[in-house]
C-alpha cells in the first residue's frame, strides 16, 4: 500500500507540474495549500525530492520550488522510489534491493515469488510509464 508520505509527494509534484512552463518558483505554503499537504511533512518531502534531482529550490522573498526537469521526463515510479524505496512487495523480486526470503526453500520454484515478479513488473510498467505531465493532464481533465 502506498504510504501517506508518497501520496503527499505525488500530490505536491503534480501541483508543481500544473504550473505553466517558465513560471516563477512556487512558495512552499502555496504548494502545501493547493496539494492539501501539511507544511511540516512537505518540507521533508521536498528536501528529499530536491536531493534526488527532481526539484530546484530558490531562497528569498520570491523563492519557492520548481521542477528540475520537464514534467514529461519525471515518472510517478521515480518519485515513489525516492520516497518509498523499491516497488517490489517482497525483497526476493526487487531489482535494486534484492534479498532472499528467509522462509523460502526453493526460490526458483516459489509460486509466490513468480506472482510477485509479475506484480512488480506490471506496477513498474504503469508507474514508470506515467509521467507528471500525464498525471497533471488527468487531474485537470477530472476537475
Amino acid at each position: 500500500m502506498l504510504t501517506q508520505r508518497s501520496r503527499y509527494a505525488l500530490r505536491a509534484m503534480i501541483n508543481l507540474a500544473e504550473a505553466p512552463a517558465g513560471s516563477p518558483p512556487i512558495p512552499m505554503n502555496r504548494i502545501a495549500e493547493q496539494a492539501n499537504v501539511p507544511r511540516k511533512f512537505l518540507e521533508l518531502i521536498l528536501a528529499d525530492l530536491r536531493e534526488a534531482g527532481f526539484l530546484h529550490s530558490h531562497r528569498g522573498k520570491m523563492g519557492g520550488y520548481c521542477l528540475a526537469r520537464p514534467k514529461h521526463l519525471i515518472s510517478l515510479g521515480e518519485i515513489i522510489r525516492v520516497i518509498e524505496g523499491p516497488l517490489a512487495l517482497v525483497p526476493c523480486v526487487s531489482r535494486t534491493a534484492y534479498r532472499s526470503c528467509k522462509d523460502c526453500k526453493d526460490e526458483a520454484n516459489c509460486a509466490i515469488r513468480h506472482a510477485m515478479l509479475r506484480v512488480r513488473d506490471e506496477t513498474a510498467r504503469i508507474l514508470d510509464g506515467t509521467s507528471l505531465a500525464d498525471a497533471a493532464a488527468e487531474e485537470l481533465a477530472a476537475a
Side-chain angles (χ1 to χ4, degrees):
M1 187 179 289
L2 203 59
T3 65
Q4 187 66 45
R5 184 173 161 82
S6 286
R7 289 194 299 271
Y8 287 161
L10 291 170
R11 288 202 312 247
M13 291 293 284
I14 290 168
N15 180 269
L16 287 165
E18 290 172 343
S23 62
I26 300 173
M28 184 180 312
N29 287 338
R30 191 164 56 184
I31 298 168
E33 182 182 316
Q34 292 176 342
N36 195 26
V37 177
R39 182 182 154 89
K40 256 189 168 178
F41 290 114
L42 186 62
E43 286 181 43
L44 300 170
I45 292 166
L46 294 180
D48 288 344
L49 293 169
R50 186 187 67 235
E51 287 175 25
F54 294 114
L55 298 174
H56 289 302
S57 62
H58 304 271
R59 293 182 175 267
K61 184 178 178 183
M62 300 301 288
Y65 290 84
C66 59
L67 297 177
R69 300 189 326 225
K71 59 187 169 186
H72 68 278
L73 295 179
I74 301 173
S75 75
L76 301 187
E78 290 176 297
I79 296 165
I80 292 170
R81 284 184 190 94
V82 166
I83 302 300
E84 300 279 335
L87 296 176
L89 295 176
V90 292
C92 66
V93 299
S94 175
R95 288 187 178 155
T96 58
Y98 171 85
R99 285 189 335 265
S100 62
C101 296
K102 294 177 190 291
D103 58 344
C104 187
K105 294 180 181 174
D106 183 9
E107 189 175 278
N109 294 311
C110 179
I112 295 169
R113 181 172 193 274
H114 291 294
M116 291 300 114
L117 276 168
R118 290 193 313 271
V119 170
R120 184 216 52 209
D121 290 346
E122 283 302 302
T123 301
R125 183 185 64 76
I126 293 165
L127 292 174
D128 291 337
T130 305
S131 70
L132 282 177
D134 300 329
E138 288 173 14
E139 185 159 298
L140 290 174

